[in-house]
Amino acid sequence: MNSHAAYHAHEAFVAPARSRSSLWRFGAGMVLATFVYISLNQVFFQTVYGIALSGNPAVLGEMATGRTPPAMYLLLFSFVFMIVGVGLSARLLHQRSVLSLLGPPDVLLHDFRAVFLTVFGIMAVVFVLPPWGMGDDFIPNMALGTWLALLIPSLGFILIQVSAEEIVFRGYVQQQLAARFRSPLIWMVLPSVLFAVGHYLPDIAGDNALMIAVWAGVFGILMADLTARSGSLGPAIAVHFLNNVSAMMIISLPDDLSGLALYLTPFGVDDTDMLRAWLPVDFAMMLVLWLGARLAIRR
């Protein structure tokens, strides 16, 4: 366990993983969680295609890209199976509850609220300050009335998605590795590398795929740091949630997962010049939000 004072809360977070922390259990747990997630996803989407959508090719395309609200809801809901998979691994291989992956409930809720309010405030200030736009005007994607009508369920489905990712990467993986290894270079970096690999999508992002994956990896490291400082997933879920709400519901790239967005950017994910011009801004914003979250949970 890291002895740095800033990470003293991490001990309580990792404690439930210590009694059954052998690497074979962790490896088997990852295999089981992945198998359950993929299997349940296949059954779920085959059922959706076969019964509700009648296998219409156009609908299949919408499902793959998430360009309509129903498609987005189905895609985001499917992350429940990620929680089911890792929950089974925690129970069967480590004899502990999926709730133990979240950290102490009181800390989780307190730090989620503190970070949510702080990060929301920062994002609101940045949003209203100039410069506005991204070179060209944003493209309207949904009528405001429709967007408002879908607001509550959309927030709920995004919360499912980000919670699932945090439970797996900053919960299960980080806890089990920290229970075996003292160095943050292992329990902080390795889960973030796995997180980055999951965001490496060359078929969609083209030449920008590696840079986007690096962004995801750095984001993962910062979320691991917040988790270690808090001793819970509260801060990471809050930052991840607001980041994804901004990217999925406010201004989205037009290529993928844009079905809930109010506006679309005037360029796509494969536009090398434009995306590379804006990614440094995204990196800077990510660091600002991380620092704000750190201040919010400072004990």
Side-chain angles (χ1 to χ4, degrees), residues 274-292:
M274 285 298 294
L275 200 64
R276 291 188 178 184
W278 280 99
L279 272 175
V281 177
D282 262 1
F283 272 103
M285 185 65 180
M286 176 169 55
L287 291 173
V288 169
L289 298 182
W290 168 65
L291 290 171

Side-chain angles (χ1 to χ4, degrees), residues 180-234:
R180 291 289 299 179
F181 303 101
R182 296 174 60 87
S183 174
L185 292 176
I186 298 177
W187 57 257
M188 184 179 287
V189 175
L190 183 56
S192 302
V193 171
L194 296 175
F195 188 67
V197 169
H199 288 77
Y200 179 68
L201 303 170
D203 291 344
I204 297 174
D207 292 340
N208 292 321
L210 181 59
M211 187 174 292
I212 292 172
V214 170
W215 185 99
V218 174
F219 182 84
I221 290 173
L222 299 184
M223 295 308 99
D225 172 77
L226 291 178
T227 300
R229 291 173 184 274
S230 166
S232 80
L233 295 184

Side-chain angles (χ1 to χ4, degrees), residues 244-292:
N244 283 21
V245 166
S246 175
M248 292 182 184
M249 292 189 63
I250 310 299
I251 304 168
S252 175
L253 291 162
D255 316 82
D256 198 32
L257 305 180
S258 59
L260 301 177
L262 187 59
Y263 293 100
L264 302 177
T265 61
F267 56 86
V269 70
D270 59 348
D271 189 323
T272 303
D273 292 336
M274 285 298 294
L275 200 64
R276 291 188 178 184
W278 280 99
L279 272 175
V281 177
D282 262 1
F283 272 103
M285 185 65 180
M286 176 169 55
L287 291 173
V288 169
L289 298 182
W290 168 65
L291 290 171

Side-chain angles (χ1 to χ4, degrees), residues 12-91:
F13 181 67
V14 175
R18 292 200 179 279
S19 63
R20 290 175 174 84
S21 60
S22 55
L23 290 180
W24 76 264
R25 290 181 182 273
F26 172 62
M30 291 295 292
V31 171
L32 175 61
T34 302
F35 174 77
V36 170
Y37 173 55
I38 293 175
S39 299
L40 292 179
N41 253 304
Q42 289 181 339
V43 171
F44 175 66
F45 284 112
Q46 286 174 1
T47 302
V48 169
Y49 296 153
I51 297 177
L53 305 178
S54 301
N56 186 312
V59 173
L60 296 180
E62 291 177 358
M63 287 296 304
T65 58
R67 291 182 180 175
T68 64
M72 280 294 290
Y73 288 161
L74 290 169
L75 288 170
L76 293 171
F77 175 78
S78 70
F79 281 81
V80 165
F81 306 130
M82 186 179 287
I83 300 175
V84 173
V86 81
L88 284 173
S89 293
R91 173 57 64 192

Side-chain angles (χ1 to χ4, degrees), residues 76 79 112 157-168 170 236-245 248:
L76 293 171
F79 281 81
F112 176 89
F157 281 107
I158 292 175
L159 183 61
I160 289 172
Q161 179 248 325
V162 301
S163 296
E165 291 188 342
E166 293 305 324
I167 286 170
V168 171
R170 262 65 71 179
I237 291 175
V239 175
H240 201 162
F241 174 68
L242 288 171
N243 176 80
N244 283 21
V245 166
M248 292 182 184

